[in-house]
Amino acid sequence: MRIDVITLFPELFGPFLTVGVTRRAFESRQVDVQLWQLRDHADGTYRRVDDRPFGGGPGMVMLVEPLERALAAVRASRVESGAPAGPLIYFSPAGAPLTQERVRSFAQSPGAVLLCGRYEGVDQRFLDRHVDEEISLGDFVLSGGELPALTLIDAATRLQPGVLNDHASHEQDSFSDGLLDCPHYSRPEALGDDAVPQVLLSGHHAHIARWRREQQLALTSLRRPELIAAARAAGRLNARDEAFLLGLASESKL
Ligand code: 4GT
């Protein structure tokens, strides 16, 4: 897949693309990330990319014209390389919350153009004309869209074929089946008074799988009960799951 990023701070991306399990995917261009410095598309001696908001108020607004020139350059480059146009995605707190379901669908797509805002954000007319999708990481404010863009790139890249060591390891991730992940343990077996749960040392694979499933159900119903309701509505809970949850509910009433 090919991902183009329009940003005032392309230097924030470089180091991230050279570490960890995702590094090979970036270096081999399995995930081809192209960075575009918005300022290269600004004009005048001052290369302005922002100006004061009409109507007054604090902060600055990103100008339409440099953004349109940058986007035209990105689109031309994608055509030249044979990449499909792809949607333009803008990151802002007003976007739709990012979910693992959206990450999975993005990971299977041929890519996108990502726009990272700074200052107070982008002139609404650019968003109205060009943005296909607006995505938020959650209900909090950042100083720029670069961390959200890196977040989407990372989440989608680790799902590319061959990126994780164990081919199936993301099938156990939190949210992969709509539930939180189970706890994990490694050596040493005993850490003072804290022993590893016995079942994990039993070698009994069916018991281990059942224990892990129950840990997922218990943690999710404690921390994120709305995810249990959603898993139930999606038909992702079986009769054993429901029996376990019923037991949990009656325990918590004691
Ligand atoms: C928060 C989020 C986001 C920002 C989020 C435009 C200029 C928006 C700064 C940017 N803050 N972007 N995507 N919660 N700030 O996802």
Side-chain angles (χ1 to χ4, degrees):
M1 76 190 311
R2 170 158 161 171
I3 301 174
D4 294 87
V5 183
I6 300 173
T7 172
L8 285 166
F9 298 103
E11 67 272 23
L12 293 178
F13 290 76
F16 192 83
L17 305 176
T18 67
V19 299
V21 292
T22 51
R23 174 182 173 174
R24 281 178 172 283
F26 296 125
E27 287 176 349
S28 70
R29 310 257 160 121
Q30 182 184 6
V31 177
D32 180 9
V33 177
Q34 297 291 328
L35 303 169
W36 300 81
Q37 169 54 272
L38 177 60
R39 209 170 292 282
D40 292 346
H41 302 272
D43 48 24
T45 322
Y46 298 99
R47 305 241 133 196
R48 287 192 77 133
V49 294
D50 63 311
D51 206 338
R52 295 156 68 197
F54 282 122
M60 301 293 265
V61 176
M62 290 173 79
L63 297 169
V64 173
E65 288 155 294
L67 284 167
E68 287 194 332
R69 286 191 291 266
L71 182 59
V74 170
R75 295 252 179 258
S77 167
R78 288 182 71 102
V79 167
E80 188 177 28
S81 76
L88 177 60
I89 299 176
Y90 178 60
F91 298 96
S92 101
L98 185 60
T99 62
Q100 188 64 13
E101 185 175 61
R102 182 65 191 92
V103 168
R104 270 194 294 265
S105 116
F106 180 65
Q108 287 168 13
S109 80
V113 184
L114 311 184
L115 172 58
C116 306
R118 280 272 155 175
Y119 317 116
E120 301 307 305
V122 169
D123 187 306
Q124 186 61 39
R125 293 167 296 179
F126 179 86
L127 303 181
D128 293 343
R129 283 184 182 185
H130 301 290
V131 169
D132 299 296
E133 189 175 352
E134 210 164 315
I135 293 180
S136 168
L137 294 193
D139 293 340
F140 49 86
V141 180
L142 299 167
S143 47
E146 286 79 10
L147 287 169
L150 281 167
T151 298
L152 179 62
I153 292 169
D154 179 75
T157 301
R158 63 187 288 288
L159 298 184
Q160 297 303 309
V163 169
L164 298 187
N165 303 327
D166 178 348
H167 192 242
S169 69
H170 57 72
E171 283 164 28
Q172 288 176 30
D173 291 341
S174 281
F175 310 115
S176 64
D177 57 1
L179 302 175
L180 301 180
D181 197 5
C182 63
H184 303 280
Y185 298 86
S186 186
R187 294 193 291 178
E189 214 174 289
L191 198 63
D193 288 348
D194 295 326
V196 172
Q198 266 304 318
V199 61
L200 297 178
L201 310 173
S202 69
H204 196 305
H205 298 301
H207 287 179
I208 292 169
R210 192 61 223 160
W211 179 86
R212 286 180 169 155
R213 179 75 176 175
E214 289 175 354
Q215 291 289 310
Q216 285 190 277
L217 291 165
L219 184 66
T220 307
S221 81
L222 189 68
R223 303 263 181 93
R224 301 289 301 278
E226 78 281 13
L227 296 181
I228 295 284
R232 180 175 291 131
R236 286 196 299 260
L237 302 182
N238 62 30
R240 273 183 100 180
D241 295 335
E242 294 290 6
F244 177 78
L245 288 167
L246 211 55
L248 266 189
S250 64
E251 269 177 54
S252 70
K253 281 177 207 140
L254 290 180

